[in-house]
Every structure is written in C-alpha cells, then in structure tokens.
C-alpha cells in the first residue's frame, strides 16, 4: 500500500503542477490574461444573476475586500461585470455579470466540460464512478484542510 501512496502522491503533484501550467499558459495567450481567481469570480457571479456585494465575492474567493475590489475593477474594465448601485450607497453596490460576462462564463463552462469529456472517454461506467468518488474525497480533503488552517489561524490570531 505504501507503493500506491508514493505513486499516487507523485501523480497528484504532477497533475496539480500541470493543471496550473495549463491555466497559466491559457492566461498568457488569451486576451485579457484572466487568472484562475478571475474565472472563479465569473463562475460564482454566473450563479447570482441578481448580483452580490463585493464582500460576498471576497468571502467566496477567500481574499481580502480590497483584493476583491481590484479584481472586480479589472473585470469591469473588460466589460465582464457591472456594478449596480443601490440607494446611492457604495456599501450597497451589487456586482453582476454583463451579457459579455455571461458569454465568457458559458465559454469557460464548455471548455471545462470538454476536458471532463476527454478524461472520461474510454472509461467504463464503474471506472467513472470510482474516479468521481475519488475526486469528491480529494475535494473534501482540500475543504477540510482549508477549514482547519483557517480555524488554527483565527484561533491563534485572535487578540483580546
């Protein structure tokens, strides 16, 4: 079993590395140079057509509010998002995708679907099920690790 763990660790590291390289290469050669975080924000906003506050985007992406504001300004510059002022107060401003942003989001979703199709081509239904379940467990491991790191940081960083 130790051999499996070592082999699996190696392919996990290599896969993560190559996924980042693929994203960075795509960013480098695409117009606008949108980062993974930019695209994650767009995907999140796609789920909220009515718009959300920038602070909600920041919380979702786990970044500071100023970083989220900078990210939104970048996307706004490319006409992918728009701000909707509510009652003339900046604190009540919502952000939502523009038509161009929704089209960009659809393109990204289709791109990811093509990758998933390429991965699953040639797999049996039982292999697909095992792969899916494995990724669900891996995802949960990442979530648990993030939550544990935040819990430790928030606990040790609290000042009275």
């Amino acid at each position: 079993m130790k051999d499996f763990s070592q082999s699996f660790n190696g392919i996990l590291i290599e896969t993560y590395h190559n996924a980042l390289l693929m994203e960075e290469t795509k960013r480098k050669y695409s117009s606008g140079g949108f980062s993974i975080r930019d695209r994650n924000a767009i995907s999140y906003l796609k789920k909220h057509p009515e718009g959300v506050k920038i602070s909600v985007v920041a919380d979702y992406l786990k970044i500071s509010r100023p970083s989220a504001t900078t990210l939104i300004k970048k996307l706004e510059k490319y006409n992918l998002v728009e701000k909707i002022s509510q009652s003339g107060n900046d604190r009540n401003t919502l952000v939502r995708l523009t038509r161009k942003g929704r089209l960009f989001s659809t393109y990204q979703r289709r791109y990811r679907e093509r990758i998933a199709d390429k991965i699953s081509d040639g797999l049996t239904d039982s292999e697909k099920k095992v792969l899916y379940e494995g990724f669900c467990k891996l995802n949960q491991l990442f979530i648990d690790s993030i939550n544990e790191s935040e819990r430790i940081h928030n606990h040790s960083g609290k000042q009275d």
Side-chain angles (χ1 to χ4, degrees), residues 33-110:
F34 298 109
S35 69
I36 295 169
R37 184 168 283 149
D38 296 338
R39 292 192 295 267
N40 285 343
I42 291 168
S43 293
Y44 180 73
L45 290 170
K46 175 77 176 215
K47 298 174 189 174
H48 301 279
E50 71 285 354
V52 296
K53 292 182 179 181
I54 293 176
S55 61
V56 173
V57 175
D59 291 344
Y60 173 75
L61 296 173
K62 299 193 181 300
I63 60 175
S64 69
R65 303 229 183 342
S67 293
T69 298
T70 300
L71 183 151
I72 294 301
K73 283 181 182 178
K74 175 184 177 183
L75 298 178
E76 193 175 29
K77 179 178 130 183
Y78 288 97
N79 195 30
L80 296 173
V81 301
E82 63 185 347
K83 293 180 183 173
I84 307 153
S85 182
Q86 305 221 314
S87 68
N89 182 344
D90 281 349
R91 291 183 181 263
N92 291 328
T93 299
L94 300 179
V95 180
R96 69 178 177 197
L97 293 179
T98 61
R99 182 178 186 283
K100 183 177 176 182
R102 290 188 303 274
L103 289 171
F104 183 87
S105 176
T106 299
Y107 169 79
Q108 288 299 307
R109 181 183 48 80
R110 288 182 180 157

Side-chain angles (χ1 to χ4, degrees), residues 135-152:
F135 268 86
C136 287
K137 289 179 182 181
L138 180 62
N139 189 50
Q140 189 60 52
L141 177 76
F142 289 156
I143 291 168
D144 293 346
S145 178
I146 292 165
N147 291 338
E148 179 67 12
S149 294
E150 288 180 342
R151 186 188 65 72
I152 290 169

